[in-house]
Structure formats: structure tokens, C-alpha cells
Amino acid sequence: MTESKSRDAACPAAIDWPVVLAQHDRWLRTVAFARLGERQAIDDVMQEVSYAAVAQKAPLDDPSKVAPWLYQLVVRRSEERRVGKECRSRWSPDH
């Protein structure tokens, strides 16, 4: 085996995030909706998730870990949005 082939085997191919996000979009949106309960916030959460996936500082090496990682990211972003909305409504002048 040549050196370049062994180096290629040691370094997995980079994840094609636009393709992966498109493949997982439907069920990730379902998770976001279940957490948020409002459709208009889903696009914002998915945009944040997409940006986080592309801009991550420690890229995933194992493609089998992509779906669980995306799930955790959608849950975290959804919860941050829900809690932020509750805080804003609690401190609004209408209350």
C-alpha cells in the first residue's frame, strides 16, 4: 500500500454537510417542532443547526455519529429558543 493510500484510509472523507442536512431535514424539523410547538421557529432553529454543522471547530470523524450529534444540536437550540422566549415574555411590559 502506498503512503497516500494509507493516509487516505486514516483520514475519513469530509462530511458533505449540505447533503447530510438535506437527508436529515425532515426528522430534525419534527424534533424541533415537538420541542417548540410553533412552526415559525423551526426555520430559525434549522438555520442555526446548519451554521453550527458547517462551522464546527472539531469536525466529526465518524459519519455514524452525525445523526445523534444533529439530534443533540436541534434539541439544545430548541430548548435555548424556548427558554429565551419564556424569559422575554416574563419581562415584557405587558405582564
Side-chain angles (χ1 to χ4, degrees), residues 5-68:
K5 285 184 181 179
S6 64
R7 190 180 325 121
D8 291 341
C11 299
I15 295 169
D16 187 358
W17 285 110
V19 171
V20 169
L21 289 165
Q23 289 172 341
H24 295 284
D25 186 71
R26 185 177 175 112
W27 72 267
L28 290 172
R29 286 178 178 275
T30 302
V31 170
F33 181 71
R35 297 283 177 164
L36 296 168
E38 54 183 277
R39 295 193 185 282
Q40 59 269 30
I42 295 171
D43 287 335
D44 293 337
V45 167
M46 292 305 296
Q47 185 175 12
E48 292 172 12
V49 167
S50 297
Y51 178 76
V54 172
Q56 63 182 305
K57 294 187 180 13
L60 295 172
D61 291 333
D62 185 358
S64 70
K65 295 181 179 179
V66 169

Side-chain angles (χ1 to χ4, degrees), residues 83-95:
V83 168
K85 184 177 179 182
E86 288 174 1
C87 288
R88 283 190 302 273
S89 68
R90 192 175 314 136
W91 293 102
S92 72
D94 297 338
H95 284 104

